[in-house]
Amino acid sequence: MKSDLSILEEFGANLAPAQEQPPAEVRHRLMNAMRQPARRPSLLSSVRGVRLAWRIGMPTVAAAGVALALVSGYLPDNTRGRPAPPGAAPQAGAAPRALPDAGQVLLLAAAHTADTPTMDARPDQFLFIDSVEVESSAGSHRNRSGKVVLGRPTVSGPQRTRTWLSVDGTRDGLVVQETATSPVRTHIDGCKNGLQAETIDRPESTPKIACTPEPAYQSGRVPTDPDHLLAYLYDFAAKGPTWVSIGAGQDGMPRGFVRLSDDQSAFAQIAQILSMNQLPAVQEAAFRAAARIPGVEVRRNVADASGRTGVAVTRTEAGTREELVFDPTTYTYLGSNLIAADFDLKGAHVVRRPDQKIGQLTLRVANLKPGDVISKYALLRVAIVDKAGQRP
């Protein structure tokens, strides 16, 4: 069986080149393992575009319980002085309210975000993000016959992660991940004078390329008008298609690829925007735009990476379910999940290999089961600070 990286190498000639080694966990969240080439359209540094096969598995209930203990005390009370939304417990004697559908959940989230005060932030300051992440992985090894096979799925996390991103996108950021031994610190190269390291967490070893700053707490290139943002998302999806692999033959090569619909690509980009830009105006626009994407559904009692249970707005396609998780009472955004789902090929147009020179390649292992967790991200707290590494 060929390794995922060798498959990327063969199929990636017309797409994005593979890295020499599996990306670090921080790259999975911040820049999708590699900086996108200048020729590729970019909405934000991709968070979860190339989902390689080592990211499979399912976290344990015990692990989720540990994370919940870590974050208790960071959950703000956003209910004081606010009317009860649909789905809240009715008063005695009142008729039960109908539970909101997916579109209504997103609009309630937008309304909540519109009431959130914008934090005072200078361009030279940093957005501090406190989060918890769960990552599933499956390493590979050679069996007695010398054949490369996937190992048993393992779970990384829940992992506490603290991130400092430049308010205006021009200054160097920092990611600190808690581990069992010692914290792992990763430098994030800012876009300074129109130049940035091609791989932004490896500024010393990769060349500088042209860049446009990606602000963490300014609107930047992301429109704050829902209509404009929706058009922007679909334009991004059309210019940078995502191809998903189908199964694998005995040689380990995919049997073919299907192109992700523009609807699914747009919804996935919403999750990336919500994790990278915390400006209330951007997030409100993202929720309102997501409410207009066809095919969204609502799921209840969905857990985020910290163990909090919420209501999720989801969209499923090509074996993957994207989930945006909200508090079931206040509709505060809690985080996002990426979950394996049934891969329905009915009516799909399958190609042997993508012929586009731009886009993203997703390799999906054949033995993923519906419900397996690929990744989870829980947002705990945001604040503005003066320096990278400083806590509020």
Side-chain angles (χ1 to χ4, degrees):
M1 175 184 286
K2 297 186 179 182
S3 70
D4 301 313
L5 294 179
S6 65
I7 295 172
L8 271 178
E9 186 174 341
E10 291 193 28
F11 278 85
N14 293 327
L15 294 162
Q19 291 208 128
E20 295 178 355
Q21 59 185 359
E25 296 302 329
V26 63
R27 298 186 198 113
H28 176 72
R29 175 55 51 188
L30 285 178
M31 76 295 292
N32 182 36
M34 56 191 170
R35 187 68 183 173
Q36 295 182 341
R39 70 176 183 275
R40 183 189 296 179
S42 175
L43 177 62
L44 289 172
S45 294
S46 183
V47 177
R48 295 168 301 175
V50 177
R51 297 162 188 142
L52 298 177
W54 53 77
R55 304 191 182 283
I56 64 174
M58 182 174 292
T60 63
V61 175
V66 172
L68 183 60
L70 285 174
V71 305
S72 61
Y74 281 86
L75 307 182
D77 180 7
N78 296 311
T79 62
R80 285 174 288 186
R82 297 176 59 85
Q91 297 180 354
R97 298 182 178 90
L99 295 175
D101 60 22
Q104 290 171 331
V105 168
L106 289 165
L107 293 179
L108 286 165
H112 169 80
T113 306
D115 290 342
T116 302
T118 300
M119 297 181 291
D120 293 331
R122 301 190 310 271
D124 62 341
Q125 289 182 304
F126 291 83
L127 175 70
F128 168 78
I129 304 174
D130 195 0
S131 63
V132 170
E133 300 184 22
V134 171
E135 297 288 351
S136 300
S137 62
S140 62
H141 65 276
R142 293 187 181 275
N143 60 18
R144 295 179 179 179
S145 303
K147 184 178 180 181
V148 177
V149 296
L150 287 175
R152 292 183 178 180
T154 59
V155 174
S156 170
Q159 186 175 54
R160 192 67 170 268
T161 302
R162 295 177 176 89
T163 305
W164 290 263
L165 299 177
S166 172
V167 165
D168 67 358
T170 66
R171 290 157 180 85
D172 296 345
L174 177 68
V175 177
V176 178
Q177 294 178 296
E178 301 295 337
T179 67
T181 54
S182 60
V184 176
R185 299 169 64 89
T186 304
H187 169 91
I188 303 299
D189 199 40
C191 179
K192 298 179 284 289
N193 299 319
L195 294 175
Q196 187 173 39
E198 186 173 18
T199 304
I200 63 177
D201 65 333
R202 295 180 180 176
E204 297 84 8
S205 59
T206 56
K208 297 286 187 180
I209 61 171
C211 63
T212 300
E214 294 175 353
Y217 207 69
Q218 295 177 350
S219 59
R221 290 178 292 165
V222 182
T224 55
D225 176 85
D227 292 333
H228 295 165
L229 177 55
L230 197 65
Y232 195 31
L233 291 168
Y234 277 90
D235 182 64
F236 175 83
K239 291 179 179 178
T242 297
W243 296 89
V244 183
S245 68
I246 301 171
Q250 293 183 350
D251 61 354
M253 298 295 290
R255 293 187 288 107
F257 288 83
V258 296
R259 177 176 170 170
L260 212 59
S261 73
D262 289 353
D263 292 333
Q264 187 72 7
S265 294
F267 191 77
Q269 287 293 330
I270 291 285
Q272 295 181 21
I273 290 172
L274 294 173
S275 68
M276 297 295 289
N277 194 312
Q278 300 298 319
L279 189 70
V282 170
Q283 300 228 328
E284 180 188 356
F287 295 139
R288 295 190 184 280
R292 296 170 55 184
I293 296 176
V296 294
E297 300 177 334
V298 66
R299 295 174 68 93
R300 308 192 188 280
N301 300 317
V302 175
D304 68 7
S306 72
R308 298 173 297 188
T309 301
V311 57
V313 175
T314 73
R315 199 178 192 286
T316 305
E317 188 177 309
T320 300
R321 183 171 70 245
E322 299 270 358
E323 298 182 340
L324 306 179
V325 187
F326 302 90
D327 182 280
T329 302
T330 66
Y331 297 93
T332 303
Y333 178 65
L334 300 181
S336 62
N337 299 335
L338 191 62
I339 310 295
D342 287 320
F343 203 147
D344 185 5
L345 291 174
K346 184 178 180 180
H349 176 61
V350 180
V351 299
R352 183 69 185 93
R353 67 172 63 204
D355 56 2
Q356 269 76 3
K357 294 182 180 296
I358 58 174
Q360 298 181 85
L361 183 65
T362 298
L363 297 182
R364 186 181 189 278
V365 296
N367 60 349
L368 271 177
K369 298 178 181 179
D372 284 352
V373 173
I374 301 172
S375 67
K376 288 189 172 187
Y377 170 79
L379 178 66
L380 307 183
R381 182 187 184 189
V382 297
I384 299 297
V385 297
D386 291 330
K387 298 179 180 179
Q390 176 186 356
R391 296 192 190 183

